[in-house]
């Protein structure tokens, strides 16, 4: 493509620069469009809009490619760890052994939460959805950590980033324990990030917790698969909240709120509930028909994606992990059979082929999480733990961008034109 794009408005010609990234579509720089032409662009859902420049993650939706700082997700899922991916996203390069050991130790030493934070949980009903608790407790963190909310200080930004990544598993495990009426467990600094989370979730004070290395590896891989994903809805929410100068804890809380939606991170819970409702392979056809019926709001949860018009590479790794975990645990979950059968039927159905709808990261994750022992209400909480790494990395990238400014979109106004107030006696 050339290095500029021309637009003619009312017989006048305007020219705008075209910029290329390291890979992916070029962009037309329209920052001066309104001041020069008086026109806004119109792009609800931002299907054709690049909201920022970023070097963290790249997705090629046509090829089903996902890179974190250039490394393919398949290689990271196979050879790396969630903490190493966190370091990579935050710092841009894979760490040396010493860099990684220092980073892991730093995160470990931030995993405890303020004792007073426990009182917040007592304000919730025991049957509160864990995501409601996550929104509330994470949003309240800025009340406990005033010494790391000055976003203009890089040192405080990094401490807040480490605190956020480190405390999410503790806060999440406490939300689960509160829901089932069991006591909170303190972190154990001798365990890995993921092992510590599993122990805080499934361990009890009455006995030693036996950490299954296969489950620990599968959970860590699931965290890797959910770490970051370009400017998805929740990441864009975090960036927009951060653009006003809000403190990092409030920004992450806004990301958690957005992720909860069933069209986004809430899809993993909705997908497993859907598979359970289908129940047996013979009922799949009925649900496929409903998904294709324009009059029916039902959608196949865990299918389709704004960017992937080919296989979501994370779904492929997730499906392999599901097979490993179910075999290791000796779990013969009929829901997994329904999922695989549903995938095959959908991928051979003209509707799904024509609309390029493939399984996404949320389609198989619930089968694994359910086999490990998580209730469906915890699925999006697990997504939030992992995506906190991406949200924090994207937030840091935005705040340290010298051109950063508050995000403030415009609109196409279709409401009433100016009119005079009519007193109630004359209406
Ligand atoms: C995540 O953005 C990210 O990167 C998100 C994420 C991340 O890591 O952050 O990848 C995580 O959110 C994955 C997506 C999880 N959501 C679901 O599984 C919910 C089910 N999927 C759909 O709601 C939908 O596919 C979306 C929301 C994911 C994408 O919606 P788009 O891009 O706006 O696509 P669309 O709604 O315009 O759909 C295009 C067409 C429509 O038909 P037409 O109006 O053109 O006739 O495809 C149809 C839709 O009706 N369609 C589906 C469908 N998804 C889209 N039909 C049936 N079942 C579906 N799942």
């Amino acid at each position: 493509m050339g290095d500029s794009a021309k637009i003619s408005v009312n017989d006048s010609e305007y020219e705008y620069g075209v910029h290329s990234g390291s890979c992916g579509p070029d962009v037309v720089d329209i920052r001066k469009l309104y001041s020069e032409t008086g026109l806004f662009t119109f792009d609800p859902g931002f299907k054709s809009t690049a909201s920022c420049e970023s070097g963290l993650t790249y997705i090629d939706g046509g090829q089903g490619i996902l890179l974190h700082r250039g490394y393919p997700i398949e290689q990271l899922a196979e050879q790396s760890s969630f903490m190493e991916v966190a370091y990579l996203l935050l710092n841009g390069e894979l760490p040396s052994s010493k860099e990684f050991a220092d980073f892991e130790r730093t995160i470990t030493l931030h995993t405890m939460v303020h004792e007073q934070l426990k009182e917040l949980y007592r304000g919730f009903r025991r049957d509160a959805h864990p995501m409601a608790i996550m929104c509330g407790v994470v949003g309240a963190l800025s009340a406990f950590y005033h010494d790391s909310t000055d976003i203009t200080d890089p040192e405080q930004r990094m401490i807040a980033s480490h605190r956020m990544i480190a405390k999410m598993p503790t806060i999440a495990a406490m939300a689960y324990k509160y829901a089932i009426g069991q006591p909170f467990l303190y972190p154990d600094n001798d365990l890995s990030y993921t092992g510590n989370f599993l122990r805080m979730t499934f361990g009890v004070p009455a006995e030693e917790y036996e950490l299954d290395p296969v489950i620990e590896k599968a959970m860590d891989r699931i965290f890797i698969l959910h770490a970051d994903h370009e400017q998805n809805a929740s990441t864009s929410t975090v960036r927009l909240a951060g653009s006003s100068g809000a403190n990092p804890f409030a920004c992450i809380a806004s990301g958690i709120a957005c992720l909860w939606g069933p069209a986004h991170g809430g899809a993993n819970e909705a997908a497993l509930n859907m598979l359970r409702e289908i129940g047996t392979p013979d009922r799949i056809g009925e649900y496929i028909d409903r998904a294709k019926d324009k009059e029916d709001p039902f959608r196949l949860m865990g299918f389709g994606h704004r960017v992937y018009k080919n296989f979501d590479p994370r779904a492929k790794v997730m499906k392999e992990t599901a097979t490993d975990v179910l075999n290791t645990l000796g779990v013969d979950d009929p829901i997994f059979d329904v999922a695989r059968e549903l995938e095959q039927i959908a991928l051979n159905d003209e509707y799904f082929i024509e609309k390029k709808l493939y399984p996404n990261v949320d389609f198989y994750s619930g089968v694994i999480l359910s086999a490990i022992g998580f209730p469906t209400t915890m699925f999006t909480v697990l997504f939030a733990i992992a995506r906190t790494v991406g949200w924090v990395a994207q937030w840091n990238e935005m705040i340290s961008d010298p051109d950063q400014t508050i995000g403030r979109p415009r609109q196409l106004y279709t409401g009433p034109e100016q009119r005079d107030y009519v007193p109630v006696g004359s209406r």
Side-chain angles (χ1 to χ4, degrees):
M1 178 175 284
D3 56 5
S4 70
K6 292 183 178 64
I7 174 174
S8 61
V9 179
N10 305 329
D11 300 332
S12 301
E13 277 257 313
Y14 300 89
E15 194 166 0
Y16 297 97
V18 169
H19 308 317
S20 301
S22 31
C23 41
D26 290 344
V27 298
V28 182
D29 186 339
I30 54 161
R31 281 176 283 192
K32 291 194 173 64
L33 179 77
Y34 176 56
S35 60
E36 290 178 353
T37 69
L39 292 175
F40 292 149
T41 59
F42 186 63
D43 186 18
F46 311 119
K47 295 187 176 182
S48 301
T49 294
S51 61
C52 64
E53 183 176 331
S54 178
L56 290 172
T57 292
Y58 172 68
I59 301 169
D60 180 328
Q63 302 295 316
I65 291 170
L66 168 56
L67 308 177
H68 290 317
R69 299 285 195 177
Y71 296 100
I73 190 66
E74 297 86 347
Q75 293 181 25
L76 294 171
E78 184 59 36
Q79 303 175 57
S80 186
S81 68
F82 179 60
M83 277 296 98
E84 188 179 65
V85 170
Y87 182 98
L88 172 66
L89 285 168
L90 277 170
N91 298 289
E93 298 296 335
L94 289 169
S96 66
S97 316
K98 179 175 182 330
E99 285 167 334
F100 184 57
D102 291 347
F103 176 73
E104 257 198 324
R105 185 69 183 153
T106 300
I107 296 297
T108 296
L109 295 180
H110 280 297
T111 49
M112 281 207 327
V113 293
H114 193 291
E115 274 298 290
Q116 202 67 26
L117 201 74
K118 292 179 178 178
E119 301 316 312
L120 266 179
Y121 287 77
R122 309 213 190 292
F124 290 97
R125 288 171 37 152
R126 290 281 181 177
D127 62 353
H129 194 292
M131 281 298 280
I133 296 178
M134 295 302 289
C135 290
V137 174
V138 172
L141 284 180
S142 56
F144 290 83
Y145 299 108
H146 289 294
D147 62 340
S148 62
T149 54
D150 173 3
I151 59 163
T152 61
D153 174 356
E155 180 62 27
Q156 288 196 34
R157 281 210 304 273
M158 202 36 79
I159 293 172
S161 303
H162 291 156
R163 277 177 164 153
M164 217 42 272
I165 291 168
K167 296 181 193 308
M168 279 295 277
T170 310
I171 292 167
M174 289 168 73
Y176 174 66
K177 286 304 198 188
Y178 185 72
I180 61 174
Q182 285 187 0
F184 300 146
L185 283 192
Y186 287 110
D188 177 341
N189 289 355
D190 294 332
L191 297 177
S192 72
Y193 181 90
T194 301
N196 186 37
F197 168 65
L198 289 168
R199 176 184 165 277
M200 289 190 291
T201 302
F202 297 118
V204 289
E207 60 186 32
E208 279 303 302
Y209 176 69
E210 287 297 309
L211 188 57
D212 181 332
V214 173
I215 300 304
E216 183 181 10
K217 177 76 187 152
M219 190 73 245
D220 197 74
R221 180 175 293 176
I222 289 172
F223 283 156
I224 292 173
L225 295 175
H226 288 81
D228 190 47
H229 213 237
E230 284 192 6
Q231 306 311 315
N232 58 85
S234 54
T235 296
S236 299
T237 301
V238 170
R239 279 180 172 260
L240 198 55
S243 74
S244 75
N247 74 72
F249 306 105
C251 296
I252 299 303
S254 70
I256 294 171
C258 177
L259 185 74
W260 195 2
H264 189 16
N268 52 18
E269 176 178 358
L272 197 79
N273 290 337
M274 174 192 73
L275 291 170
R276 285 184 174 147
E277 186 184 324
I278 294 173
T280 52
D282 60 292
R283 297 189 63 212
I284 290 173
E286 171 196 333
Y287 285 82
I288 294 276
D289 293 343
R290 284 189 57 197
K292 292 155 62 173
D293 178 358
K294 298 303 295 168
E295 300 313 308
D296 189 331
F298 173 79
R299 287 195 166 181
L300 222 45
M301 301 315 282
F303 256 78
H305 200 276
R306 172 60 59 77
V307 177
Y308 290 121
K309 300 308 172 191
N310 194 322
F311 252 94
D312 179 337
R314 303 167 298 177
K316 284 184 181 173
V317 178
M318 200 70 84
K319 185 176 177 181
E320 290 153 17
T321 305
T323 306
D324 295 346
V325 169
L326 294 181
N327 290 343
T328 304
L329 293 177
V331 170
D332 180 17
D333 185 350
I335 294 296
F336 191 34
D337 300 332
V338 172
R340 283 181 294 201
E341 182 69 13
L342 172 56
E343 176 189 354
Q344 282 315 307
I345 294 172
L347 291 182
N348 291 289
D349 181 288
E350 199 41 51
Y351 173 91
F352 291 87
I353 293 168
E354 184 247 325
K355 294 185 187 296
K356 297 185 167 59
L357 301 176
Y358 291 84
N360 58 48
V361 67
D362 295 308
F363 187 64
Y364 283 108
S365 57
V367 171
I368 308 170
L369 298 175
S370 177
I372 293 175
F374 292 103
T376 50
T377 51
M378 279 294 287
F379 289 5
T380 309
V381 173
L382 302 173
F383 195 149
I385 292 174
R387 187 50 58 89
T388 294
V389 162
W391 290 332
V392 159
Q394 297 266 355
W395 173 78
N396 273 293
E397 182 179 63
M398 176 201 65
I399 295 287
S400 41
D401 178 349
D403 295 334
Q404 187 265 325
T405 180
I406 188 166
R408 205 274 186 220
R410 302 303 301 271
Q411 64 179 13
L412 173 65
Y413 177 67
T414 53
E417 295 185 45
Q418 183 166 330
R419 52 183 172 167
D420 295 329
Y421 181 81
V422 178
V424 66
S426 314
R427 290 174 204 159

